[in-house]
Amino acid sequence: MAVSLDTGSVASAVDGARRGFLERFGGEPAGVWAAPGRVNVIGEHTDYNDGFVLPMAIDRACYAAAAPRADRILRVYAAQLDETVELSLDALVGPGSAADTRDAASTDMSPLAEPAAGGWAGYPVGVAWVLQQAGFPVGGADVYLSSTVPVGSGLSSSAALECATALALAGVSGFELTTHELALHTQRAENIYAGVPCGPLDQMSSAFGQDGSVLFIDTRSGEVRPQPFDLAAEDALLLVIDTRVSHDHGENGYADRRAACERAAEFLGVRALRDIALEDLPEAFAKVSVGLGETYARRLRHVVTEDARVQQFVAILNHEQFSLPPLGHRMMQSHASLRDDYEVSAPELDLAVATAVAAGAHGARMTGGGFGGSAIALVDRAVLEEVRDAVRAAFAEHGYTEPQFFPAVASAGARRIV
Ligand code: GLA
């Protein structure tokens, strides 16, 4: 059966970025860099608990066409918004930042200096600022950004933008970033400069993505293990269902969840909730219920069981008799735990998941931070049309905005394209 889903095209996106740069800034860019968005297959809200995640980079990316400038000006143009931010790189080094003594591993997320730019511009400007802070010789540059990652859909459009900008700045300024440095500094830019207390999931996915693989990441050690994930060989695919409900609604919810986990870890006397083993969960749950209250205990239960599900999922992938239903089952458990224990789902996500499974998907779950954004469904190609039609019809029946569908194709990570 023909699958008529738009998977985008790298060549035309690169061409568009080059032509856009030419029109905007005059002259040819020195290069074009790309960094993908991601879906997290399983392992949600575990990354800031030192836990396990299993994301993959997707074939939607932010493209950065860039050229160096002789002065110390950074100009960044965002094609989708038709907006430019322009500033002096020297003005980014204020007294607040000069006094900063935090090292790269610091988890202190208080802003060092007043952000010079808010909204989308905070991301590229924050990247330049963090790289400068870390001692990289960032030079003046013109950067044209164009993205095929839908914004607000929980697919890490901001991480894509940050990683593409970081690579472009490194490329035109003549310094190198290791993949770990790329992930670390872009996460810091988001934490400190943009003020979003995210964990390392999104930036690591964009930086380390690999064609045809999911990435098993231990967020404590930083170890990244690519794991082949060939759904085409199973005649299946991972379908993204973008609910079109912006996940930004949940910004406070995200910070609350993170704070609750840190409080529970402190209460239990462990460095992070990752340190609570599955077999110790009943005892820890009871202790936290009494000491901090039942809500904290449910947050704890989500994190501990989710870490276990990631490991089970990977074990199933590695099993000789690999089959899809047990994977789908773990996805369903993950969704229920995020909905009931962690309370970060949304009615649209719950409807997408329930409808997809009722229409024949092996499993489905919300992906990313939640409160809106996207769900993913593990679907045999034979039932793809049914699943899509059923979800579309259910959304119409509930009066929800029409969702968007596209396959998640495990793709390469951030890189120079031309
Ligand atoms: C957002 C954050 C990530 C991660 C997920 C939840 O995407 O940016 O760091 O915490 O939510 O798994």
Side-chain angles (χ1 to χ4, degrees), residues 34-36 104 109 122-132 134 136 156-170 175 177-208 414:
M109 292 185 297
Y123 297 112
V125 173
V127 167
W129 179 79
V130 160
L131 290 175
Q132 273 195 169
F136 291 101
S156 294
S157 59
S158 60
L161 193 158
E162 290 153 357
C163 288
T165 304
L167 281 189
L169 289 179
F175 62 86
L177 289 168
T178 65
T179 315
H180 270 290
E181 284 172 338
L182 174 64
L184 181 76
H185 292 302
T186 49
Q187 186 204 347
R188 271 171 69 78
E190 179 132 359
N191 286 164
I192 300 172
Y193 199 94
V196 180
C198 67
L201 168 69
D202 306 343
Q203 289 79 11
M204 286 192 84
S205 311
S206 186
F208 284 93

Side-chain angles (χ1 to χ4, degrees), residues 385-404:
E385 301 288 348
E386 283 92 317
V387 169
R388 241 180 353 187
D389 291 349
V391 174
R392 199 178 279 131
F395 270 53
E397 210 174 286
H398 283 72
Y400 296 159
T401 306
E402 188 178 353
Q404 270 171 2

Side-chain angles (χ1 to χ4, degrees), residues 38 44-45 47-48 198-199 201-202 254 368-369:
R38 61 101 189 90
E44 221 63 82
H45 289 276
D47 66 339
Y48 51 82
C198 67
L201 168 69
D202 306 343
Y254 185 89

Side-chain angles (χ1 to χ4, degrees), residues 19-145:
R19 276 186 291 111
F21 183 94
L22 195 75
E23 258 169 49
R24 194 79 212 158
F25 298 118
E28 278 285 324
V32 179
W33 291 260
R38 61 101 189 90
V39 298
N40 191 15
V41 180
I42 196 161
E44 221 63 82
H45 289 276
T46 47
D47 66 339
Y48 51 82
N49 289 297
D50 280 5
F52 304 109
V53 290
L54 195 72
M56 65 192 218
I58 58 174
D59 65 347
R60 304 274 173 136
C62 180
Y63 296 84
R69 292 172 58 100
D71 57 17
R72 298 277 299 149
I73 300 294
L74 174 63
R75 267 197 303 181
V76 184
Y77 175 75
Q80 274 69 36
L81 301 164
D82 189 22
E83 280 181 22
T84 305
V85 60
E86 178 170 339
L87 53 99
S88 159
L89 288 167
D90 296 327
L92 278 176
V93 188
S97 43
D100 180 35
T101 52
R102 284 176 269 187
D103 63 26
S106 166
T107 54
D108 181 350
M109 292 185 297
S110 57
L112 302 177
E114 275 304 301
W120 74 273
Y123 297 112
V125 173
V127 167
W129 179 79
V130 160
L131 290 175
Q132 273 195 169
Q133 282 274 307
F136 291 101
V138 180
D142 287 330
V143 184
Y144 178 99
L145 295 176

Side-chain angles (χ1 to χ4, degrees), residues 18 77 87 142 182 188 242 274 303 307-309 362 417:
R18 280 176 89 157
Y77 175 75
L87 53 99
D142 287 330
L182 174 64
R188 271 171 69 78
D242 178 0
R274 183 261 181 74
V303 174
D307 268 339
R309 283 185 286 273
H362 292 291
I417 310 237

